[in-house]
Amino acid sequence: MISRVVVRIGTGSRTPFRTAREIWHYRDLFWALGARDLRLRYRQTFLGVAWVVLQPLVAAGIFAFVFGRIARVSTDGQPYLLFSLAALTGWNYFANVLTRASTSLIQNPQLVTRVYFPRLILPIAVVPAVLVDLIVTTIAFVGIALAQGRAPSGNLFALPLAVLLFTVLALGAGFAAAALAVRYRDVQYLLPVAIQMALYASPVAYSAFAVPAEWLAVYYANPLAAPIELMRWSLLGTPAPTFNHLAYSVAAALTLWLTGSWIFRRIERSFADEI
Amino acid sequence: MRSDEIAIRAEGLGKAYTIGRGPRATTLAERLVKAARHSFTPDTGERFWALRDASFEIPVGQAVGIIGRNGAGKSTLLKLLSRITAPSTGWAELHGRVGSLIEVGTGFHPELTGRENVYLNGAILGMRRREVTQRFDEIVAFAGIERFLDTPVKRFSSGMYTRLAFAVAAHLDAEILVVDEVLAVGDQEFQRRCLGKMGEVANAGRTILFVSHSLHAISTLTSRTLVLEGGRIAFDGTTSAGLAFYRALQADGADSVHAYRAPAGRTGVHVAEGRVVTSIADGMHRHGEPFALSFTLDVPEPVSQLCFSVHIHDETDRAVNHFWIYGDGPAFRSATGRFEVRIDVPTYRLAMGRYTVAVWVTDRATHQIFEHLTNLCPFEVTMDGLARADYDWSPDHMVYAEDYTFRVTRI
C-alpha cells in the first residue's frame, strides 16, 4: 500500500522547511489566485492597461515639474521625466506588492475561515498581477525612451535582479504587515504613510549624488536605494550602485524575508479566530 | 486496504476562546488602552470552551455523523480537524489527504466565468490543476450548466451557482472528507443527488466526517455518530442509538427553552435573540390565533444583499412553512447595527403538533451563510376548543388546516 500523508494537528511547530514544502505542494493555488487577479484587472482590457501606465506617468510628470523645473535637482545628466519614470517603474512595483500583500488576508476572510491552505500563499500570490503591471510599464518606458532617441542598452540584463530584490523586500515586509493587520487594523492606515515617507527617503525623485557625503552612510541604510539605482542603471545607464551597497541590500532583503515570515508563522495559528 | 487501519485519531482536543472583556481590541490604540486599564487588575477575561476533551478514533472507510444542538461544538471540531484553526489543547493525527467542505463555493468570484471559478475553487480546495482538468467534464455535467460555462457566475441563478459549487466539492479526491452541512443548500432534487454522491464516496472506502442538522441525511449516510453537547462528546456509538440519544436530549430542553440567545462571544452577522410569541403561555399556541416570531439581528458590517428567512419544521423535521424578509426595503440592507425583525401572522393555522424554528441569514450576493440555526424555540399547537371538536384530531393527519365554510344542499 502507498504510504499516506499524515497530517498532525496541535503537535510540533511549523518549521520554515515544512512551510516551504507545503507551499510548493499548493503551487497551483498560487497560480489560480494570480490568474484571478490578472483576469479581474485586465478584463476590461483597454482601461486596465491604460491605468497601469498612466499611474507612474502622472507621478513622473509631477516630479518632473516640481523637482526638474522648480527645484532643478541633479539627474545625472538625464532628461528629468525619464530619470524619475525609470525609478518609479520599480518603486511602484515594490509599493504595490507590499500594499496588496498587507491586505491579502483581511480582504479574504472567507478563505481564511473556511478552508485550509498555507496562508503564506495569499501574500505571495499578489506578485503575478503586479509583475505583469511592471512588464507593461517597462515596455511603455522603453517606448517613451525610444521616442526620445534612447535605445535600451545591454544593461537590461540586470533588470530581473532589481525586480527580484524588490520582490523579496516587499514580501518580507508584506508578510509581517499582512499578519499584523489581522490583529491591528491600524496597519492599513500606517502603511501608506510609511511607503510615502520611504519614497522621499529613496533616490526616486532625485539622484543620490544630491545627498551630502557625510549623510551617505545613513542614506544607504535604506535597502531600497541600491535596487532603485540598479533599476535606473539598467534602463537608462545612470551610475550603477556600488557592489557593497548592493550586497548590503541583498542581506537586508533576506533578513527582512526571514523576520517577516517568522512573524507571520507566529500569528498564523490564530488568523481564523481573529480575522 | 485493511479496515482496522486508523484514519483519524484525536486525543483530548479542545478549543477555548476568551470572552467577557467586551469587544475585542482591533486597533493598537484600543489594545494600549486595555493594557493600561488592566495592568493593576487581575485578568477578567473568561475562557469559554467551545470544545473540550474530544478523543476518538475513526478507522479508514468509516462514515461518521456529528450532531448536536447549536453551539455544541460541531463546527469547532470540524474547523480543528480541517486545520482552519489551531487547538488550545490536545492533538490529532489524520492519515491521508484531507478535503474539507465547510461551505460550498468558497472563493467563487462573481466576475469570473463558470469555467474560471471551477479551476479557482478546485485550487482553493487543494486540487491540482491537472486533477480539475481530468474531472472537468464530470463536474460540469453534474452541475448541469454546460451552456453557461463561459458566463460570469454573477449572472447565474442561485440554484445554478449552488450546483456548480457543490459539483466542484463533490469531485474532490481526498481520502478523508470533512463535510459541514453543505447539503443544506439547493432544491430537493439536487439534495437527493448530493446525498447519492456522498453515498458513493462513502462506499468507495473513503473516510467521511459529516456534520448535519438533517437527521435524515445522517441516518442515510453514516453508521456511527458522535453527539456533542456543551462542547463535549456526549455520545459515541451506532447512528441509530445516537439519533435516539439526540432526540432525548432535545426533548429535555424543549420544556424550558422557548427562546434562543446567541452563545457568548458570538461575533459577525448573527441572530442575537429569537423567540416565538404564541397565543397561550409556555410555548403553546391555539390553532387559528395570532402568532408572531421576533428576532434580534446583529449586523456589524454592511451586507447589501442580506437575506433573513425563517422555516417552521414539524416533528419529522420537514419544513412546513417558510417566511422570508423580501424586497430592498428592510433596514438591515442599508445600515449596520442591531435590528428587530418581527413577523406577524394574524391567524396561524398550523395543525396540532410540535414544531421548531430554523433561521437562515445569508448574503445573496456572495452566498455566504452567516447563520443557520435549527431546532430553536420549540412550540406546540393545540386544536382544542375548536368548533370542529367532533373530529378526532391527531398530529399526523395534516400539517395545516384552513378555515372554510360549507354548504350542503339536497338536490
Side-chain angles (χ1 to χ4, degrees):
Chain A
M1 197 189 138
I2 331 150
S3 72
R4 290 170 178 279
V5 196
V6 180
V7 177
R8 290 192 174 78
I9 294 165
T11 54
S13 59
R14 314 185 129 262
T15 63
F17 175 70
R18 262 179 60 187
T19 309
R21 207 175 46 181
E22 208 178 18
I23 289 174
W24 173 247
H25 184 79
Y26 271 87
R27 60 194 178 277
D28 285 353
L29 176 59
F30 162 79
W31 288 116
L33 290 170
R36 174 192 71 178
D37 290 353
L38 263 176
R39 286 204 177 96
L40 293 175
R41 183 105 48 94
Y42 289 91
R43 184 132 285 175
Q44 288 100 10
T45 318
F46 180 74
L47 264 186
V49 177
W51 279 119
V52 167
V53 179
L54 260 164
Q55 201 190 350
L57 209 56
V58 169
I62 293 170
F63 281 171
F65 184 72
V66 176
F67 293 95
R69 279 286 159 79
I70 301 175
R72 295 190 184 280
V73 298
S74 151
T75 61
D76 308 328
Q78 301 290 331
Y80 190 85
L81 188 77
L82 288 181
F83 176 84
S84 60
L85 192 57
L88 271 170
T89 305
W91 175 265
N92 276 348
Y93 171 74
F94 166 81
N96 285 337
V97 169
L98 174 53
T99 308
R100 285 185 205 187
S102 75
T103 56
S104 60
L105 291 170
I106 52 177
Q107 289 195 336
N108 289 295
Q110 75 289 12
L111 293 189
V112 176
T113 56
R114 302 283 197 272
V115 212
Y116 174 79
F117 55 85
R119 305 304 187 202
L120 270 172
I121 292 257
L122 281 175
I124 294 175
V126 306
V127 172
V130 188
L131 192 61
V132 170
D133 291 354
L134 172 72
I135 292 169
V136 171
T137 34
T138 306
I139 292 170
F141 174 87
V142 172
I144 295 170
L146 277 173
Q148 303 208 2
R150 289 160 173 276
S153 73
N155 292 359
L156 268 182
F157 82 90
L159 199 68
L161 178 62
V163 173
L164 186 65
L165 252 175
F166 280 129
T167 310
V168 176
L169 284 164
L171 283 183
F175 293 156
L180 289 171
V182 171
R183 211 163 265 187
Y184 308 110
R185 295 294 143 102
D186 313 63
V187 172
Q188 296 176 78
Y189 308 110
L190 277 173
L191 195 65
V193 179
I195 290 176
Q196 196 69 22
M197 281 163 63
L199 170 65
Y200 291 104
S202 305
V204 175
Y206 55 89
S207 159
F209 284 98
V211 177
E214 65 268 30
W215 285 100
L216 274 181
V218 180
Y219 189 79
Y220 278 101
N222 170 9
L224 287 161
I228 289 170
E229 290 185 325
L230 186 65
M231 184 97 189
R232 195 183 269 136
W233 174 75
S234 88
L235 285 173
L236 216 53
T238 50
T242 67
F243 177 81
N244 282 348
H245 288 159
L246 213 49
Y248 162 77
S249 188
V250 170
L254 291 177
T255 313
L256 195 58
W257 175 283
L258 290 177
T259 317
S261 52
W262 178 78
I263 292 174
F264 192 95
R265 278 200 311 275
R266 280 286 306 260
I267 307 184
E268 188 177 20
R269 282 167 59 92
S270 63
F271 281 166
D273 303 332
E274 297 196 2
I275 203 161
Chain B
M1 192 179 300
R2 282 168 28 226
S3 60
D4 57 344
E5 235 177 304
I6 295 299
I8 305 176
R9 172 180 290 134
E11 263 316 313
L13 269 189
K15 177 76 183 178
Y17 292 96
T18 305
I19 54 163
R21 274 195 284 185
R24 186 174 60 85
T26 53
T27 69
L28 194 57
E30 283 174 33
R31 177 71 60 119
L32 291 176
V33 167
K34 273 173 189 271
R37 210 176 272 162
H38 288 284
S39 55
F40 297 108
T41 52
D43 190 351
T44 54
E46 197 185 321
R47 267 152 86 79
F48 164 73
W49 288 87
L51 186 74
R52 197 154 204 183
D53 260 339
S55 303
F56 52 88
E57 277 184 4
I58 296 174
V60 169
Q62 194 170 52
V64 178
I66 299 174
I67 52 181
R69 292 191 275 194
N70 300 308
K74 306 181 299 274
S75 299
T76 304
L77 178 56
L78 285 203
K79 282 191 172 178
L80 290 178
L81 291 179
S82 42
R83 286 184 290 169
I84 290 165
T85 178
S88 313
T89 62
W91 56 270
E93 241 177 35
L94 293 93
H95 297 256
R97 205 175 136 190
V98 184
S100 67
L101 306 175
I102 303 288
E103 172 188 77
V104 293
T106 308
F108 261 43
H109 197 289
E111 297 288 340
L112 296 180
T113 67
R115 183 191 306 275
E116 289 161 354
N117 269 311
V118 167
Y119 278 98
L120 176 61
N121 188 231
I124 287 170
L125 294 175
M127 289 164 97
R128 304 298 312 276
R129 194 182 161 81
R130 102 184 103 73
E131 288 176 75
V132 181
T133 307
Q134 272 167 14
R135 321 201 73 176
F136 190 79
D137 293 341
E138 246 180 282
I139 292 173
V140 173
F142 187 87
I145 55 126
E146 291 90 340
R147 289 194 300 130
F148 303 99
L149 260 185
D150 295 302
T151 309
V153 299
K154 67 177 175 190
R155 301 201 208 293
F156 278 30
S157 72
S158 182
M160 283 160 62
Y161 184 101
T162 309
R163 289 204 303 273
L164 183 62
F166 187 88
V168 183
H171 291 81
L172 181 63
D173 206 0
E175 284 137 342
I176 300 173
L177 265 184
V178 177
V179 185
D180 189 5
E181 201 71 66
V182 289
L183 295 171
V185 292
D187 53 35
Q188 281 277 321
E189 161 58 21
F190 187 67
Q191 286 196 21
R192 237 193 312 279
R193 275 169 63 203
C194 292
L195 275 178
K197 187 76 196 173
M198 298 274 296
E200 270 175 44
V201 172
N203 290 333
R206 280 188 266 168
T207 312
I208 299 187
L209 238 89
F210 180 45
V211 164
S212 182
H213 282 115
S214 162
L215 303 186
H216 171 70
I218 294 277
S219 66
T220 324
L221 287 174
T222 68
S223 52
R224 172 178 165 192
T225 292
L226 305 182
V227 182
L228 296 186
E229 172 68 5
R232 291 175 189 270
I233 297 181
F235 176 92
D236 180 358
T238 64
T239 292
S240 53
L243 293 184
F245 182 89
Y246 181 57
R247 289 208 180 92
L249 206 64
Q250 277 182 303
D252 274 357
D255 293 332
S256 52
V257 187
H258 302 299
Y260 167 77
R261 190 177 291 274
R266 182 78 165 85
T267 56
V269 177
H270 71 281
V271 174
E273 284 160 26
R275 66 193 176 95
V276 294
V277 184
T278 49
S279 62
I280 319 172
D282 295 329
M284 290 292 281
H285 181 74
R286 186 171 289 119
H287 178 87
E289 295 187 340
F291 174 86
L293 294 154
S294 174
F295 298 92
T296 315
L297 184 65
D298 264 1
V299 185
E301 66 216 50
V303 185
S304 66
Q305 298 264 49
L306 193 68
C307 277
F308 184 92
S309 69
V310 182
H311 297 219
I312 306 295
H313 286 256
D314 70 5
E315 271 173 290
T316 65
D317 213 20
R318 178 170 47 158
V320 294
N321 198 172
H322 188 175
F323 303 99
W324 63 98
I325 308 297
Y326 49 86
D328 292 327
F332 55 58
R333 287 198 163 189
S334 49
T336 58
R338 178 165 273 212
F339 299 92
E340 196 203 354
V341 179
R342 189 178 163 103
I343 297 165
D344 274 293
V345 189
T347 50
Y348 202 37
R349 300 201 176 95
L350 281 179
M352 66 185 293
R354 291 168 182 275
Y355 297 88
T356 59
V357 178
V359 184
W360 288 86
V361 184
T362 58
D363 181 348
R364 245 194 130 84
T366 63
H367 298 262
Q368 192 184 345
I369 300 171
F370 295 113
E371 189 92 278
H372 176 212
L373 302 166
T374 59
N375 295 309
L376 303 186
C377 312
F379 63 95
E380 190 172 346
V381 177
T382 88
M383 295 177 81
D384 56 270
L386 289 189
R388 288 166 262 174
D390 57 332
Y391 185 80
D392 199 8
W393 303 107
S394 135
D396 50 358
H397 280 173
M398 57 188 166
V399 292
Y400 176 74
E402 187 51 278
D403 260 1
Y404 56 96
T405 59
F406 56 87
R407 193 168 51 150
V408 183
T409 31
R410 185 155 188 240
I411 45 169

